[in-house]
Amino acid sequence: MGAEEVWAVGNRVRLRLSGMETDIEGYVYTDDASVGCVVLQNPSASDPGRYDVQVVRKAVVEKVTRIEGDASEAFVPKWDEPREVNWGRLRQREAAALQKIEREQARINANVTAEVQAVFDALAKTLPCRWDGDDIVVMDVVRIRPPYGVDDAASEDEPCLARVRMILDKEIGKKSAAKTLK
């Protein structure tokens, strides 16, 4: 019997693995030559109606023996029936993924330095932000113009302005501290 016949799907096999004292047995579920593995499947002892699987690297198999059995012992690996593709749901997921990518791209401004982008990202962690040209617009009420310092933030909404300035001051302080440590 050739090696390919031993690994045929549905065959019951006993494997002796290097470094193990006991052999393992199971029904060949699949043989993946491209990665050098075989998958064994057995009815689950703990959950009737379910199956346990073991993935075994063929490189550690010292000996393989096909176990013959009568027809009453025959085991056919169980595969779930293929499910129908829900095209509507698939299109919804695709549209949601594309919207997410567009939102993420809109958060990046290629015209500013990495430091300015880091300031935007810090603000965007806690507050809704967007780019309007080179200006950062926070909560649609605070506008931060270049060079993006605390005094460059402007708004008629004083509480929002105070909150944004506090975050800006903290972020600029972090950047200054990091530069002095280098």
Side-chain angles (χ1 to χ4, degrees), residues 30 39 43 47 51 56 65 67 123 127 133-134 155 165 167 182:
T30 189
V39 179
D47 193 358
Y51 297 86
V56 180
T65 309
I67 302 170
L123 287 165
L127 301 170
D134 287 342
S155 176
R165 284 184 170 166
I167 295 170
K182 289 183 179 179

Side-chain angles (χ1 to χ4, degrees), residues 13-159:
V13 293
R14 178 179 295 121
L15 306 178
R16 174 161 298 136
L17 306 179
S18 59
M20 291 188 65
E21 294 179 19
T22 59
D23 295 345
I24 62 172
E25 291 183 15
Y27 295 90
V28 177
Y29 182 79
T30 189
D31 173 22
D32 191 341
S34 66
V35 293
C37 291
V38 64
V39 179
L40 302 181
Q41 175 176 308
N42 282 306
S44 175
S46 61
D47 193 358
R50 297 233 171 206
Y51 297 86
D52 296 328
V53 294
Q54 293 176 290
V55 179
V56 180
R57 283 188 17 230
K58 286 178 161 179
V60 300
V61 176
E62 290 180 350
K63 181 180 177 185
V64 58
T65 309
R66 181 172 179 212
I67 302 170
E68 299 293 334
D70 63 315
S72 64
E73 290 185 45
F75 174 75
V76 177
K78 180 179 180 353
W79 288 277
D80 289 338
E81 287 296 317
R83 296 183 185 168
E84 186 175 322
V85 175
N86 183 336
W87 292 103
R89 177 72 178 126
L90 186 64
R91 285 186 191 94
Q92 287 175 344
R93 290 180 66 189
E94 177 186 32
L98 290 172
Q99 287 174 351
K100 181 180 178 191
I101 290 168
E102 287 171 0
R103 283 192 308 270
E104 289 172 358
Q105 287 176 336
R107 293 173 55 124
I108 299 170
N109 188 336
N111 299 325
V112 298
T113 65
E115 291 82 12
V116 173
Q117 185 65 49
V119 168
F120 177 91
D121 293 341
L123 287 165
K125 282 182 185 176
T126 56
L127 301 170
C129 297
R130 63 180 172 83
W131 288 102
D132 182 19
D134 287 342
D135 295 351
I136 299 172
V137 179
V138 185
M139 298 183 294
D140 286 329
V141 294
V142 179
R143 182 172 291 271
I144 308 167
R145 298 186 188 280
Y148 310 101
V150 173
D151 295 331
D152 300 313
S155 176
E156 292 182 13
D157 187 331
E158 288 300 321

Side-chain angles (χ1 to χ4, degrees), residues 1-8 11-13 64-68:
M1 181 178 298
E4 291 80 26
E5 293 173 13
V6 171
W7 299 119
N11 279 350
R12 186 169 179 209
V13 293
V64 58
T65 309
R66 181 172 179 212
I67 302 170
E68 299 293 334

Side-chain angles (χ1 to χ4, degrees), residues 157-178:
D157 187 331
E158 288 300 321
C160 288
L161 181 60
R163 174 82 175 142
V164 169
R165 284 184 170 166
M166 180 189 72
I167 295 170
L168 263 176
D169 189 42
K170 195 179 283 188
E171 189 61 27
I172 292 168
K174 284 182 191 176
K175 299 294 179 209
S176 297

